[in-house]
Amino acid sequence: MEENTGDEEARRRGPGGPEAPGAGTVGGGVSRRRLGARLLALGGVLVLHAALPGAAGASGNPAERRALQGLRLRYGSARQAGLVEKHLEAAADEARRFLGPSPEHPYYAGAVVLAGRGRTIALHRAMGEAVRYADYDGRTDRVREFPAAQRIPMAEDTVFDLASLTKLFTSLLAVQQMERGHLELEAPVDRYLPEFTGGGKELITVRQLLTHTSGLRSWAPFYQQSTREGQLRMLWAVRPQEAPGTVYRYSDLNLIALQLLLERITGHTLDLLLQDEITAPLGMHRTRYNPPLSWRRVTAATEVQRPPWSGLDRGLVWGEVHDENAYALGGVAGHAGVFGTAWDLAVLARTLLDGGVYAGKRILRPASVELLFTDFNTAFPGDDHGLGFELYQHWYMGAMATPHSAGHTGFTGTSLVLDPSTDSFLILLGNSVHPVRTWRAGSAPRVAVGNRFARAVPVRTKHGGPAWYSGMETGGSGTLTLPPLTPATAAARLRCAVWWDTVPGEGALHLEASADGETWEPLPFTTLRSTGGSPEQWPQGRVGGWSGRLWHRLEAPLTAWAGRPVHLRFRHTATGRYVGRGVYVDVVRVAEPARLLFAEDRPADASRIEAAGWTRSTD
């Protein structure tokens, strides 16, 4: 009943979310993220495999070669992982903070946070309690706690109900079948499930199930049916609410239908497919459907389920799947039901970051991993989606969100984020529905931990020293102002190095000029990537979004200020609920052919910079 009634579905209807079918398309040139959608017209997954960047195979990928040689994850220091220790520890501190009032009740009773880069896990921390509450009274909003001696502390290897992270496993299994030629991405679902027809369902494709563009409603109460036959009749009777392909709507029904499709074409149940095709090859021995009773003492409890907040009256759910529909389906469902640990999810993360291989065992081809991380939803800005994976979602990734970041959340309090641009991964598992789902809303811990972990991945200058840094405060702003200068000629130029990552449309770096230091106007500039290419023009004097995690050379002509004093400043703004990694400015110079007007590397000039809200940072 609950998989998309909480934070997942709420944020999709929040500010900036698509409200109308067929929302506008993304502008600009063709990128890897748009390529998948562009190639659909060429005829399916085999063409995609051939055409996607990096699809030639493993030989050109050093990380993948190491994975094929059998290298595994290991524990190590922040330094060994190429991370900044103080910011990594701050990520753990942020996770711990939500054990307290958030704002009234704890967000979760306990949590496990795991973060790493490359093959090094540099943070793996357990906090709080896996089992704390015995009962909950919805009339008084009071709980009955277990006696202290009966509570179970959270441990690094605690098993969690992963909830909607299950959708990722179902998606991986589907892509495996595409690799083997048993399933076509653009085929109608009824080719494999003839019962999946009526009311327009026959137009729904496999891709639309994987990207939540089928038009099906979010949910249906399968738990109200006492038999498997009744549950199936309910699915067969569902009709699309909008024409397939015209709207994005996150729906459990998509993955339930995909489960039935996979079971039909393989002849195996989904739990056996998960074990045979993913968890056994990768050594994920603590990941499975329907964990045995012997696991109960090492499993985090979830909710005290009673009407009206739950569709079933089960009391404390502990060791069994939390989702009512998955429970009614026997614990094995395409949308929910998988249990697992943070370590096992780290193995999965490393497998995908290495092109589908871990410790010498391959579960996907590199081109298939590209499909998982390619945006097929360019018609629905803000709802970027690969095959199963959500992409570029600040609402739970925080500052880890980049055009390359992929992940998912689960209603029980779980999340996984992968960032190929930094080769990093973050896992946060909490029992946030313990004792009841109404005690928490939103994704505040995920965002807070994601912000801190993003800060732990350093930004280094070419010279190795500090640069001016804007910070990552929500709603933050600041100015970096040079002393007044008087160019003698129209050939004067401001030059510097800049690096930026802001939430598109909600954060920016502005370059401004003023005659009196009071009234400011935009100063147009160009930027050039440190890797070369053609300059980009910014006629409005501002830049924002994602810079590719590269330094850029900024140049601004001061033609209009020849012969008169000018004040110059950099201004950073962050206006939305979420932030990116921030903005850096370095090596600021103002020069004309015969004279250097200002140079930040000259101590006398550097001392005259007025910084408000900016700091010097080496990371």
Side-chain angles (χ1 to χ4, degrees):
M1 177 178 179
E2 34 65 355
E3 277 297 321
N4 48 41
T5 59
D7 44 323
E8 284 99 337
E9 189 62 20
R11 75 94 202 167
R12 289 178 170 85
R13 299 279 68 83
E19 293 292 334
T25 58
V26 177
V30 177
S31 67
R32 174 190 293 183
R33 293 166 54 73
R34 302 185 68 199
L35 183 59
R38 290 286 186 90
L39 289 174
L40 291 176
L42 300 180
V45 71
L46 295 179
V47 173
L48 282 165
H49 277 179
L52 278 166
S59 60
N61 185 335
E64 189 179 0
R65 288 201 302 270
R66 291 192 293 271
L68 283 169
Q69 293 166 1
L71 298 182
R72 301 171 180 269
L73 286 169
R74 61 177 185 269
Y75 286 109
S77 66
R79 182 176 180 180
Q80 288 172 322
L83 299 169
V84 180
E85 184 174 7
K86 65 179 180 180
H87 298 307
L88 190 63
E89 284 299 317
D93 292 340
E94 288 287 356
R96 189 174 295 105
R97 179 166 62 90
F98 289 89
L99 296 172
S102 308
E104 180 180 357
H105 300 294
Y107 188 93
Y108 36 51
V112 175
V113 59
L114 183 152
R117 191 178 186 196
R119 274 174 185 73
T120 301
I121 293 176
L123 176 67
H124 192 183
R125 203 72 51 79
M127 57 201 69
E129 293 169 306
V131 182
R132 176 175 176 177
Y133 304 103
D135 207 349
Y136 171 77
D137 186 340
R139 294 168 300 177
T140 62
D141 193 32
R142 293 182 178 177
V143 295
R144 178 170 62 85
E145 298 186 353
F146 284 106
Q150 295 180 25
R151 299 181 193 177
I152 299 177
M154 197 67 77
E156 292 177 354
D157 60 353
T158 293
V159 176
F160 284 81
D161 178 342
L162 299 179
S164 282
L165 293 190
T166 299
K167 293 178 172 70
L168 300 181
F169 292 101
T170 308
S171 301
L172 293 175
L173 291 169
V175 174
Q176 286 179 335
Q177 294 304 312
M178 294 177 199
E179 280 190 353
R180 297 167 190 175
H182 301 153
L183 183 63
E184 291 185 22
L185 187 63
E186 289 304 302
V189 176
D190 69 352
R191 177 186 298 179
Y192 310 99
L193 279 179
E195 305 93 331
F196 195 77
T197 58
K201 284 212 306 292
E202 59 276 4
L203 301 177
I204 296 174
T205 66
V206 174
R207 172 175 58 85
Q208 290 165 349
L209 295 182
L210 286 161
T211 58
H212 295 288
T213 55
S214 68
L216 295 176
R217 64 179 188 253
S218 298
W219 170 87
F222 294 102
Y223 62 86
Q224 293 180 354
Q225 301 294 323
S226 59
T227 65
R228 180 77 166 183
E229 291 74 18
Q231 294 162 355
L232 291 176
R233 282 196 301 270
M234 179 175 285
L235 181 63
W236 306 147
V238 167
R239 300 292 184 260
Q241 293 182 317
E242 292 87 12
T246 65
V247 67
Y248 173 88
R249 181 185 298 108
Y250 181 82
S251 173
D252 290 349
L253 302 188
N254 291 324
L255 276 296
I256 293 172
L258 190 61
Q259 168 194 358
L260 298 176
L261 184 158
L262 289 170
E263 291 179 341
R264 181 71 59 85
I265 66 176
T266 64
H268 299 289
T269 58
L270 196 64
D271 54 340
L272 290 178
L273 288 173
L274 175 69
Q275 176 181 327
D276 293 345
E277 303 290 354
I278 298 177
T279 61
L282 297 181
M284 298 169 60
H285 301 305
R286 284 291 187 176
T287 301
R288 60 168 294 167
Y289 286 100
N290 287 327
L293 185 61
S294 60
W295 284 23
R296 193 167 188 252
R297 294 287 300 178
V298 296
T299 300
T302 55
E303 188 175 36
V304 178
Q305 288 195 350
R306 303 193 193 284
W309 61 87
S310 171
L312 297 174
D313 191 348
R314 300 167 64 194
L316 177 63
V317 178
W318 179 18
E320 293 181 317
V321 64
H322 172 254
D323 180 85
E324 293 95 328
N325 279 336
Y327 176 74
L329 292 167
V332 179
H335 72 291
V338 172
F339 286 70
T341 64
W343 176 273
D344 276 8
L345 287 176
V347 169
L348 180 67
R350 192 65 258 161
T351 301
L352 297 176
L353 288 169
D354 283 343
V357 63
Y358 179 79
K361 302 292 185 180
R362 177 174 294 286
I363 64 166
L364 285 175
R365 299 174 189 166
S368 298
V369 177
E370 292 281 356
L371 291 176
L372 300 175
F373 296 167
T374 296
D375 183 19
F376 288 87
N377 284 1
T378 56
F380 310 107
D383 288 310
D384 304 23
H385 219 289
L387 299 187
F389 281 82
E390 296 174 329
L391 310 173
Y392 205 11
Q393 298 297 318
H394 286 87
W395 69 273
Y396 71 89
M397 298 177 180
M400 282 192 72
T402 76
H404 306 285
S405 297
H408 214 284
T409 63
F411 188 82
T412 52
T414 59
S415 61
L416 166 68
V417 182
L418 316 177
D419 180 14
S421 71
T422 59
D423 199 28
S424 61
F425 49 93
L426 174 64
I427 295 151
L428 179 62
L429 305 179
N431 52 355
S432 64
V433 295
H434 185 54
V436 66
R437 68 190 73 182
T438 57
W439 271 21
R440 70 96 169 100
S443 286
R446 296 165 177 149
V447 171
V449 175
N451 285 348
R452 293 295 187 180
F453 181 56
R455 185 79 169 91
V457 181
V459 174
R460 301 302 191 198
T461 60
K462 184 176 181 180
H463 54 77
W468 289 105
Y469 179 49
S470 68
M472 296 171 55
E473 295 302 317
T474 303
S477 63
T479 56
L480 195 65
T481 308
L482 306 188
L485 306 169
T486 305
T489 71
R493 298 285 190 273
L494 179 149
R495 294 186 178 92
C496 65
V498 295
W499 188 108
W500 69 89
D501 173 26
T502 69
V503 180
E506 297 183 358
L509 169 67
H510 304 257
L511 180 58
E512 298 171 324
S514 171
D516 57 9
E518 299 292 335
T519 303
W520 297 87
E521 62 185 58
L523 182 63
F525 59 86
T526 62
T527 58
L528 179 66
R529 288 170 171 256
S530 58
T531 53
S534 300
E536 295 182 82
Q537 306 289 330
W538 306 100
Q540 302 302 315
R542 68 176 182 271
V543 64
W546 169 248
S547 69
R549 202 169 178 85
L550 295 170
W551 283 94
H552 295 238
R553 180 184 177 183
L554 180 150
E555 181 171 316
L558 301 178
T559 306
W561 297 94
R564 58 193 183 111
V566 60
H567 300 252
L568 300 170
R569 76 177 185 183
F570 300 90
R571 181 168 60 90
H572 166 255
T573 57
T575 59
R577 296 176 60 189
Y578 309 109
V579 296
R581 180 63 173 76
V583 177
Y584 291 84
V585 173
D586 192 32
V587 196
V588 182
R589 292 192 169 203
V590 181
E592 48 195 359
R595 187 165 59 123
L596 184 61
L597 301 176
F598 177 91
E600 184 189 351
D601 50 357
R602 297 192 304 205
D605 286 347
S607 67
R608 300 173 66 198
I609 295 177
E610 296 182 8
W614 292 71
T615 59
R616 298 286 283 170
S617 175
T618 57
D619 53 39

